[in-house]
Amino acid sequence: MGLTLLAVVAAVLTCSLEAVPPYRAGEPVPVRFRLRNRGRLPFAVLNWNTPLEGLLADTFAIRRAGGARLPWNGPTIKRGDPEAEEYVTVAAGGDVTADVDLALGYDIRAAGRYSIGLRLRLHDVAAPGAEIPRPRSRHASRSLDCGRLEIVVR
């Protein structure tokens, strides 16, 4: 029995977060997102609700030390079916990165220590040769855990 697309994706696509300091109170709070393809084939990934499209959804779990999760203050977007330009190709053995300013959607104005996590849901992952865009009813989604990052805002 062959591997399903989702099993292959789980084996080869990984994500991570990296700090982009310095962090100063009241200024932008950039973090770098990296989506890596450790496989031998390229994949097309729909950028919806990922840092690859910017900060347009409550996808991060951010907590100030000793506090509750920060609420989302950014936009809420309703979507239809995707367009082809909303897919990003992750080359075989390659990666794609995006820097996002977390202060655009979360209140990170106060100095302190923050914990940042990202549990990413890739809404659609397409193998080479698959027709994109495709309607939402045909999406092959996959969740990835990008880990946690600790930053200090001074």
Side-chain angles (χ1 to χ4, degrees):
M1 179 189 293
L3 291 174
T4 67
L5 173 62
L6 294 182
V8 170
V9 169
V12 301
L13 287 182
T14 62
C15 59
S16 61
L17 297 174
E18 302 168 24
V20 186
Y23 298 113
R24 293 184 182 88
E27 293 185 4
V29 180
V31 296
R32 181 163 296 132
F33 166 78
R34 182 177 309 276
L35 181 61
R36 177 168 287 139
N37 179 354
R38 298 179 302 160
R40 296 181 184 174
L41 299 172
F43 286 97
V45 176
L46 183 58
N47 70 6
W48 287 0
N49 298 342
T50 75
L52 297 173
E53 74 166 346
L55 192 61
L56 299 178
D58 183 16
T59 54
F60 288 88
I62 303 174
R63 295 182 185 278
R64 186 155 185 234
R69 182 176 172 176
L70 298 182
W72 172 247
N73 297 322
T76 300
I77 297 174
K78 293 191 180 228
R79 302 181 191 263
D81 287 333
E83 302 291 330
E85 59 270 8
E86 294 175 300
Y87 284 81
V88 175
T89 299
V90 188
D95 61 24
V96 292
T97 61
D99 290 350
V100 294
D101 177 6
L102 297 178
L104 295 175
Y106 302 92
D107 185 3
I108 309 178
R109 292 179 289 186
R113 183 174 301 276
Y114 292 84
S115 171
I116 302 163
L118 177 60
R119 177 130 177 101
L120 188 65
R121 179 173 175 245
L122 299 174
H123 286 270
D124 193 21
V125 179
E131 186 177 328
I132 57 170
R134 49 191 178 191
R136 295 167 61 126
S137 62
R138 292 188 39 228
H139 285 180
S141 67
R142 184 68 190 158
S143 292
L144 298 175
D145 186 349
C146 302
R148 299 200 70 73
L149 179 64
E150 301 286 328
I151 67 166
V152 176
V153 177
R154 302 193 186 282

